[in-house]
Amino acid sequence: MQDLTAVRAALRAQRIETPSWAYGNSGTRFKVFAQEGVPRDPFEKIADAAQVHTYTGIAPIVSLHIPWDRVEDYTELAQFAREHGVRIGAINANVFQDDDYRLGSVTNPDPGVRRKAIDHLLACVDVLDATGSRDLKLWFSDGTNYPGQGDIADRQGLLAEALAEVYARLGAEQRILLEYKLFEPAFYMTDVPDWGTAYAHCLKLGSRAVVCVDTGHHAPGTNIEFIVAFLLRAGRLGAFDFNSRFYADDDLMVGAADPFQLFRIMHEVVRGGGLAPAVGVNFMLDQCHNIEPKIPAQIRSVTNVQEATAKALLVDAQALADAQRAGDVLAANAVLMDAYNTDVRPLLRELRVEQGLAPDPVAAYHASGYAERIRAERVGGTQAGWGA
Ligand code: RM4
Ligand code: MN
């Protein structure tokens, strides 16, 4: 049996970071569907993120995306966040949405474009300084569409040089989260396609360069929990970008497509001690709600991660280790399945009530009238959206 007091303490201590872009309009390349009440600036996005924290109690951090969340004064934005009970988390650089980046950013054949991209990354470190954030998240769309289009090995060299320049600019407490993605928008070759490439670059840079695992960025069938276990053991699991995918990089709600996979991932996190804040794993969401209302979708995603975490914490570690040592395949598997099949919702409801929260966060949000209020208030101006 697991120590329920420890399970409860771990669940109370868990923190999940939500992305500013989840609150804006988004869509596919076919259509972006606008929703009423969507934020028109980064302040309103933070106000919406604060709602997710109000009802879940475990989401007090918001990731920003630059330039989507560009403001005059980042210290003012950080102050606004604090006044709303949240703080600013990872700063996501954007070197993929400018015409100059047609052939890549830091691996572009044109040295002028490479300079521009690196300068943007350095400017994002200035934002970290102003907001007091720890993590600079780097995702590169760089790659090629056709064999022969670029020199694969040379591009690795350019990437390494760019990363080294940015790493050298970091403050003592700041980190690079290097994110990988198998394909898209480049269709033949991507410069950081997988965790091994990201890990190798991080090793070269130093201990404050760590890998970000976006759960939607793998080939179908990839054993993501293996990657998690490996990186955690190596001290290089920096963060998750949680979401779910059925086919490609779908950015759907985490735990919606495959809650069992999310449990298996969280089991490796728990087993490897990755829930402890000192280990530095940043549990972020990276999602877009194209057709569903955004704030309740974020609340649902946060509680999906929380449910998977609770189940992972309920794994009887001693019984599992005993069965593994004894070579009892079926017993070992049964230990995991028993935890996975436990309905943890009553426990989580109880924990919320203990903390003065409503037992059902989505229902409490709906009852609050916030959705009606922002629909009425947020008229005029330009809604935030993908690329805005
Ligand atoms: C990318 C990647 C990044 C995210 C952007 C919005 O595909 O997943 O993490 O910042 O999308
Ligand atoms: Mn991501």
Side-chain angles (χ1 to χ4, degrees), residues 76-352:
E76 184 195 350
L77 191 65
Q79 177 59 26
F80 177 87
R82 275 193 297 277
E83 283 160 15
H84 283 71
V86 294
R87 65 184 162 83
I88 292 171
I91 303 300
N92 289 248
N94 184 325
V95 282
F96 52 89
Q97 270 187 326
D98 194 288
D99 284 338
D100 280 343
Y101 299 138
R102 189 173 65 91
L103 299 178
S105 65
V106 296
T107 65
N108 194 295
D110 178 343
V113 176
R114 295 203 295 271
R115 189 67 255 156
K116 170 175 166 166
I118 296 172
D119 285 344
H120 172 71
L121 304 183
L122 296 173
C124 286
V125 184
D126 296 339
V127 178
L128 292 183
D129 290 341
T131 54
S133 299
R134 176 188 56 175
D135 293 337
L136 172 68
K137 174 139 71 80
L138 302 181
W139 172 70
F140 296 103
S141 64
D142 295 44
T144 59
N145 272 6
Y146 294 98
Q149 180 192 320
D151 186 294
I152 295 174
D154 277 356
R155 291 172 73 106
Q156 284 299 306
L158 294 173
L159 173 68
E161 275 172 36
L163 289 172
E165 187 174 341
V166 178
Y167 189 81
R169 161 70 182 85
L170 293 180
E173 303 298 324
Q174 294 171 345
R175 315 188 301 176
I176 282 179
L177 302 177
L178 184 55
E179 179 174 357
Y180 57 91
K181 183 178 178 182
L182 177 64
F183 85 102
E184 197 202 20
F187 291 124
Y188 164 62
M189 186 277 304
T190 294
D191 291 311
V192 191
D194 53 32
W195 70 272
T197 308
Y199 175 63
H201 280 283
C202 288
L203 280 185
K204 191 106 193 285
L205 289 170
S207 61
R208 283 174 298 111
V210 282
V211 180
C212 174
V213 176
D214 184 313
T215 47
H217 288 188
H218 306 87
T222 300
N223 184 329
I224 300 176
E225 58 269 28
F226 169 82
I227 300 169
V228 169
F230 184 100
L231 291 174
L232 195 51
R233 182 174 177 275
R236 297 288 175 153
L237 180 65
F240 285 100
D241 264 3
F242 280 126
N243 50 51
S244 335
R245 51 85 59 86
F246 285 101
Y247 300 103
D249 185 21
D250 303 346
D251 281 341
L252 298 173
M253 291 188 297
V254 58
D258 190 348
F260 184 45
Q261 179 189 60
L262 181 59
F263 162 76
R264 298 193 312 263
I265 289 172
M266 290 313 299
H267 167 60
E268 293 306 329
V269 169
V270 169
R271 187 247 160 255
L275 277 187
V279 175
V281 181
N282 188 349
F283 298 88
M284 306 185 289
L285 305 180
D286 177 9
Q287 300 182 171
C288 291
H289 307 295
N290 299 347
I291 56 171
E292 66 274 33
K294 294 150 199 311
I295 297 171
Q298 284 288 291
I299 294 175
R300 180 64 176 268
S301 306
V302 167
T303 58
N304 283 354
V305 174
Q306 194 180 32
E307 283 175 21
T309 308
K311 291 178 183 210
L313 285 162
L314 287 176
V315 170
D316 187 334
Q318 189 58 54
L320 182 62
D322 290 347
Q324 287 171 346
R325 251 193 314 275
D328 192 338
V329 177
L330 292 181
N333 179 243
V335 171
L336 277 196
M337 296 314 295
D338 278 348
Y340 177 65
N341 287 318
T342 307
D343 185 358
V344 294
R345 292 172 300 177
L347 168 68
L348 294 174
R349 282 196 286 266
E350 215 179 281
L351 270 177
R352 289 186 196 113

